[in-house]
Amino acid sequence: MLRLKNNFSIEHDIAGCGLCGIINVKKIRTNGEDIKKAIALEHDRGNGLGGGFAVYGCYPEYSELYAFHVMYDDLAAKEATEKYFKNNFIIEKQESIPIFKTSKINDHPILHRYFMKPKSDREDRLFSELKDDDFVVKSVMLINSDYDGAYVFSSGKNMGAFKGVGYPEDIADFYMLDNVEGYMWTAHNRFPTNTPGWWGGAHPFTLLDWSIVHNGEISSYGINKRYLEMFKYNLALKTDTEVIAYILDLLIRKHKLPVELAMNVLAAPFYQTIDKMEPEQKELYTALRQIYGSALLNGPFAIIFGYPDGMVALNDRIKLRPLVAGTKGDFTYIASEESSIREICPFPDFVWSPKAGEPIIIKTVKTTIDSENISQKQRLIIS
Amino acid sequence: MTKSSFTNVQSEYLAVIDHAKCIRCKRCIQNCGWGTYSFGGDKIIADHSKCVACGRCYTYCPEGAISILKNPTVMRENGNWQDYHIKNIWRQSETGGIAISGMGTPLKYKKYFDHILLDACQVTNPPIDPLREPMELKTFLGKKPSKIELDFNEKGQPVLKNKMPPQIELATPFIFAPMSYGSISLNAQKVMALAARALGIVMNIGEGGLHDDLVPFGKNIIVQVASGRFGVNRDYLNSGAAVEIKIGQGAKPGIGGHLPGEKIGADISRTRMIPAGTDAISPAPHHDIYSIEDLRQLIYAIKEAVNYEKPVSVKVAAVHNIAAIVSGVVRAGADIVYIDGFSGGTGAAPTIVRDNVGIPIEIAIAQVDQRLREEGIRNEASLIAAGSIRSSGDAVKAIALGADAVAIGTAALITMGCHVCGKCHTGNCSWGITTQRPELTRRLDPEEHGEKLYNLINAWSHEIKEVLGAMGVNSIESLRGSKERLRGIELTDSELKALGIKHAGM
Ligand code: SF4
Ligand code: SF4
């Protein structure tokens, strides 16, 4: 049986990795060739045990529907899960995810996608009044923890994750990403250090429209997990990336923090910085640390976080993992190595190394660029 | 009944003087609070029966002429009827009284801290060098909202909508445990006040009221309200950084306190606001708290009195059902809960209680933290773990088990010279700590010992930074409650479960 889930007897799956991200702020869509090239250059940052991509803007014709990407071990799992879907969702369309059998990826689960929306008279309505988003999150968690042999790896609108066990360039070929178009792409090459590869464990990790690719090991995993459990998150995968995604879900979706502030929870400014702030700001940042201290991500990490309005790149508070950014016209590139950027954009307008703990937030132009908390230099470049 | 002049209870220690070295300076006579030494015309004579091995005499003997030895006279060994039991029977058969002791239990119960090991980083995540990178120990005690509420100012920037509930800011996650003026000397309290101010932390003055000399240290003081209500009035409640309601103490859960009238001199009488010479009695229960809703009333009465500007702490002893109790206390409105474990210290407690009642702090804090998380109210109150924190290692483990900060009592007294002789209840402490005799208290210099105490907490804080760095985190909040960084050794499955940690190798 293929490994979809983390059934290994470990508390916490750890990995080193390579990352890439491309965004066009005018939402001009491009196919997956560039991102594949960029991440392929970081081949040595992975070991063939996990690769994947997230793409935004890939399902414009179904943009109002939740696009579920699901992996199944067998037909029985598919049947059981589809029963749940049928009871609770209106399924507008479903199909196999198109794949191209390559010699490199010769062992894969059943990969199926569903475009659907929750029914107004779904099962849980007998007991509660969950919003659609909350119901989708609940459904994803339920399937991933309770449905053996089924794993939802993407559930957002007009976006999708494509991932599996293999090198990312092979995964790109496997999913034929040169036929997929989007205005924002992220990619990941995985180097797990304490588990064999498992399909669900590949990045990106997604929840609704959020997607995360991540290089690092969260040394504060234990307390981050316990903190999330207080808010009833079920951490079935035991990965750092899952923790990051849930913290962002809690902060941005549930607690309504602006993205910038949420990043300042993940990589909180040091008190020595806070103490020098203006009184109003100092009060806010002190309160953030007091309230969300258990959500602080401590340890080495570089993440690229995608959401429909843009992309965020963030390093830990003392920059223990590499992260480089570059821009050219309407494109912004983020990668673990500058060479990845130059591979697809040999002459960027600017290339720089984001500072420790300071998020780079690139929003698509429909929304304003809010570059608060981005250092002067970074601000100049982005605007 | 006729009283025999002989006692079965042999002296536990022998104070042996090397008369060849002795220069007859008589310092030992002065120094011993228990009157062990006297001058016999041409040489120093020691009454061994009075020696408690407090260590004062040999520390101050200029010639190194004193040795304190364990009395080698044997009692017939018996694994079941040990000396300890037999002697207590003799003592009690002579006095007919309840056996009283000071300090935490000396009995060798399992110490869970000694069966817990910490994690460190290798390769996949790098350790952090605390000498090169900032390492944050700052800790805030008090209720935190579960989520932030934001407003946006004219510039569209987010600002805090509601003020945060009051917090105590600690530069390092230590506080000094409550010890009242009366149970310890004013100088001993001053030692802690000076150290607390220099360290940016707080001391707790215990239930004996606030002496005038400590008023200027208000920002670094937690004032206590116990069942005796000594010295409590509106000004008192507002004079510190927080107010603590003392329900129980780890060394004597369910037991009150009793400071005999002889110890209530003019100064203590004024500070406690009771007549000189009367016994100061703290009843076992607060006479206005017979259930959780009564506690809630007292908590809110105090909050009203301090205008909701100071956090209210509730101190409870770790007993069997501690998780449910603390959950109730938090729901009753406490902003901080101080949990005092079995083996915590005391000025005086019935020996039977001290040695037999309660549960260890390691298990209590782990259970309480878990319970509050399960109920989704961990943010409602900060937790302080106490009950013989002996080292920075214990402190780190307590914090990883779920405490926000730890309280230091006995360790603080040890910096003042205390040798943990356990005779605090006699009021003769040779070190000037648990005594009110002026000739003894005078010798405890607040400045000198304040610096020693400062040094200790400073050193422990550096050690915690080293450990955080080794774990690859640079902030204490990433350690707090992070049980994943702990492993047990030589523990049963039940013990591991109670602590919520895994065995080494898992
Ligand atoms: S202090 Fe030492 S030297 Fe002085 S009288 Fe006592 S035993 Fe002798
Ligand atoms: S404080 Fe108590 S235990 Fe310590 S030396 Fe004095 S009497 Fe002995």
Side-chain angles (χ1 to χ4, degrees), chain B residues 166-423:
Chain B
Q167 308 283 326
I168 307 178
E169 182 177 333
L170 303 177
T172 181
F174 291 96
I175 68 166
F176 297 131
M179 286 177 272
S180 69
Y181 177 34
S183 77
I184 61 172
S185 63
L186 184 59
N187 276 348
Q189 280 199 335
K190 286 183 185 168
V191 169
M192 290 185 281
L194 285 168
R197 187 164 68 185
L199 288 160
I201 61 170
V202 293
M203 69 170 294
N204 186 318
I205 56 166
E207 62 165 322
L210 180 68
H211 191 278
D212 289 343
D213 290 1
L214 292 179
V215 172
F217 292 89
K219 276 206 302 220
N220 302 95
I221 279 180
I222 297 178
V223 297
Q224 207 182 51
V225 174
S227 61
R229 302 287 152 87
F230 301 117
V232 176
N233 59 29
R234 195 193 187 103
D235 290 343
Y236 171 80
L237 295 174
N238 280 289
S239 56
V243 182
E244 178 167 280
I245 299 169
K246 178 192 174 180
I247 299 293
Q249 188 174 337
K252 46 176 175 177
I255 298 288
H258 180 186
L259 196 62
E262 310 91 76
K263 293 193 184 170
I264 315 288
D267 218 25
I268 292 187
S269 132
R270 197 171 50 247
T271 307
R272 294 210 171 205
M273 301 180 183
I274 53 170
T278 54
D279 288 3
I281 293 177
S282 306
H286 285 244
H287 284 314
D288 53 1
I289 302 181
Y290 283 87
S291 72
I292 191 79
E293 59 271 24
D294 295 342
L295 175 66
R296 183 180 176 83
Q297 281 196 1
L298 181 58
I299 291 173
Y300 278 91
I302 291 174
K303 287 190 176 183
E304 286 288 332
V306 299
N307 203 18
Y308 295 86
E309 282 163 9
K310 296 175 198 296
V312 173
S313 168
V314 173
K315 177 181 174 183
V316 288
V319 289
H320 299 182
N321 199 19
I322 188 68
I325 292 167
V326 174
S327 156
V329 170
V330 172
R331 289 180 190 279
D335 304 306
I336 300 168
V337 184
Y338 180 123
I339 306 167
D340 198 14
F342 175 72
S343 80
T346 178
T351 313
I352 181 179
V353 177
R354 185 196 69 170
D355 291 351
N356 296 288
V357 180
I359 64 169
I361 186 60
E362 300 92 318
I363 288 175
I365 198 78
Q367 285 290 318
V368 167
D369 177 66
Q370 181 59 28
R371 174 68 173 256
L372 297 184
R373 284 175 190 282
E374 280 165 14
E375 294 187 18
I377 54 172
R378 179 62 184 84
N379 57 294
E380 296 286 318
S382 297
L383 298 177
I384 297 172
S388 101
I389 302 289
R390 304 156 303 168
S391 64
S392 55
D394 287 357
V396 166
K397 291 169 192 176
I399 291 169
L401 285 170
D404 290 85
V406 296
I408 303 298
T410 305
L413 301 189
I414 291 173
T415 67
M416 302 177 207
C418 166
H419 278 50
V420 200
C421 71
K423 299 289 179 210

Side-chain angles (χ1 to χ4, degrees), chain A residues 9-12 14-15 193 216-224 226-227 229-232 254-258 261 268-272 275 280-281 283-284 286-294 296-300 317-318 320-321 370 372, chain B residues 121 123-128 133-136 138 140 144-148 150 152-153 156-160 163-164 167 366 369-370 372-374 376-379 400-402 471-475 477-485 487 502:
Chain A
S9 71
I10 47 151
E11 169 70 15
H12 177 196
I14 50 188
T193 46
E217 179 174 341
I218 307 301
S219 307
S220 55
Y221 177 85
I223 186 55
N224 299 145
R226 294 187 75 212
Y227 177 69
E229 281 167 355
M230 210 168 108
F231 294 95
K232 308 281 179 252
K254 294 212 178 130
H255 290 185
K256 307 267 179 287
L257 263 71
L261 277 192
F270 285 97
Y271 280 114
Q272 62 194 39
D275 289 343
E280 228 178 26
Q281 269 220 317
E283 209 181 39
L284 173 65
T286 306
L288 276 176
R289 291 204 59 180
Q290 289 172 339
I291 298 172
Y292 295 114
S294 301
L296 171 70
L297 294 180
N298 221 319
R317 308 204 292 167
I318 52 177
L320 294 170
R321 287 286 157 97
D370 183 351
E372 191 213 350
Chain B
C121 292
V123 187
T124 55
N125 53 351
I128 301 170
E133 306 286 352
M135 253 324 139
E136 301 186 309
K138 189 183 287 209
F140 290 92
K144 320 282 189 297
S146 65
K147 58 179 281 208
I148 201 155
L150 295 173
F152 292 85
N153 64 13
Q157 291 165 333
V159 292
L160 210 53
K163 262 193 123 43
M164 283 288 286
Q167 308 283 326
D369 177 66
Q370 181 59 28
L372 297 184
R373 284 175 190 282
E374 280 165 14
I377 54 172
R378 179 62 184 84
N379 57 294
L401 285 170
M471 287 187 181
V473 299
N474 50 18
S475 179
E477 57 246 52
S478 297
L479 173 71
R480 190 187 311 136
S482 203
K483 295 186 190 181
E484 178 52 24
R485 309 310 293 274
R487 289 293 184 273
K502 290 187 212 136

Side-chain angles (χ1 to χ4, degrees), chain A residues 66-323:
Chain A
Y66 295 93
F68 274 55
H69 290 189
V70 191
M71 304 172 175
Y72 298 112
D73 259 344
D74 49 42
L75 288 168
K78 183 163 182 277
E79 205 175 307
T81 311
E82 286 182 349
K83 193 167 158 224
Y84 176 83
F85 287 155
K86 281 191 195 112
N87 285 342
N88 293 287
F89 290 86
I90 299 166
I91 306 171
E92 300 254 325
K93 180 181 167 74
Q94 56 158 307
E95 62 187 4
S96 296
I97 298 177
I99 52 169
F100 174 73
K101 310 235 179 202
T102 78
S103 57
K104 304 265 177 60
I105 314 284
N106 46 21
D107 206 7
H108 62 85
I110 302 169
L111 295 156
H112 211 76
R113 67 187 170 199
Y114 306 82
F115 299 94
M116 52 193 194
K117 61 176 184 234
K119 284 185 182 168
S120 51
D121 61 341
R122 56 191 188 246
E123 287 168 351
D124 70 305
R125 278 288 155 91
L126 290 171
F127 312 104
S128 65
E129 282 302 315
L130 281 183
K131 293 213 190 73
D132 281 0
D133 274 357
D134 288 313
F135 181 71
V136 168
V137 171
K138 206 176 139 186
S139 300
V140 171
M141 287 198 202
L142 179 81
I143 292 165
N144 290 353
S145 64
D146 292 4
Y147 283 66
D148 275 347
Y151 178 68
V152 181
F153 62 106
S154 188
S155 56
K157 290 178 178 169
N158 199 11
M159 60 82 68
F162 299 91
K163 65 184 190 180
V165 172
Y167 281 104
E169 58 272 25
D170 301 328
I171 294 289
D173 291 342
F174 174 72
Y175 285 107
M176 300 184 288
L177 295 185
D178 47 350
N179 295 336
V180 178
E181 288 196 334
Y183 60 88
M184 176 163 77
W185 287 87
T186 62
H188 189 260
N189 186 13
R190 186 155 188 265
F191 198 136
T193 46
N194 73 340
T195 55
W198 44 294
W199 276 71
H203 297 201
F205 183 87
T206 71
L207 186 72
L208 294 170
D209 298 338
W210 320 127
S211 71
I212 309 268
V213 288
H214 157 244
N215 169 20
E217 179 174 341
I218 307 301
S219 307
S220 55
Y221 177 85
I223 186 55
N224 299 145
K225 171 172 180 275
R226 294 187 75 212
Y227 177 69
L228 287 167
E229 281 167 355
M230 210 168 108
F231 294 95
K232 308 281 179 252
Y233 286 92
N234 171 6
L235 288 98
L237 294 185
K238 304 172 188 169
T239 65
D240 289 340
T241 325
E242 179 188 44
V243 156
I244 301 171
Y246 288 162
I247 290 177
L248 289 172
D249 184 61
L250 177 75
L251 297 177
I252 299 174
R253 194 169 62 87
K254 294 212 178 130
H255 290 185
K256 307 267 179 287
L257 263 71
V259 172
E260 298 79 350
L261 277 192
M263 294 301 143
N264 280 296
V265 168
L266 263 52
F270 285 97
Y271 280 114
Q272 62 194 39
T273 310
I274 294 176
D275 289 343
K276 286 184 212 130
M277 293 176 176
E278 297 295 318
E280 228 178 26
Q281 269 220 317
K282 183 178 167 181
E283 209 181 39
L284 173 65
Y285 281 85
T286 306
L288 276 176
R289 291 204 59 180
Q290 289 172 339
I291 298 172
Y292 295 114
S294 301
L296 171 70
L297 294 180
N298 221 319
F301 69 83
I303 59 174
I304 303 175
F305 159 56
Y307 65 113
D309 293 337
M311 187 159 88
V312 182
L314 181 71
N315 258 138
D316 63 83
R317 308 204 292 167
I318 52 177
K319 198 164 174 107
L320 294 170
R321 287 286 157 97
L323 195 64

Side-chain angles (χ1 to χ4, degrees), chain B residues 113-114 116 118 137 172-174 388-401 405-408 411 455-468 471 476 479 486:
Chain B
F113 284 135
D114 297 339
I116 296 175
L118 302 171
L137 298 184
T172 181
F174 291 96
S388 101
I389 302 289
R390 304 156 303 168
S391 64
S392 55
D394 287 357
V396 166
K397 291 169 192 176
I399 291 169
L401 285 170
V406 296
I408 303 298
N455 287 343
L456 175 78
I457 301 301
N458 208 15
W460 283 8
S461 302
H462 280 297
E463 288 170 353
I464 294 179
K465 289 181 179 183
E466 292 288 340
V467 172
L468 289 179
M471 287 187 181
I476 191 82
L479 173 71
L486 303 175

Side-chain angles (χ1 to χ4, degrees), chain B residues 17 22-28 44 61-63 65-66:
Chain B
I17 294 178
C22 173
I23 55 166
R24 288 132 180 84
C25 71
K26 301 182 187 158
R27 269 186 223 179
C28 49
I44 300 286
C61 170
E63 300 300 315
I66 304 176

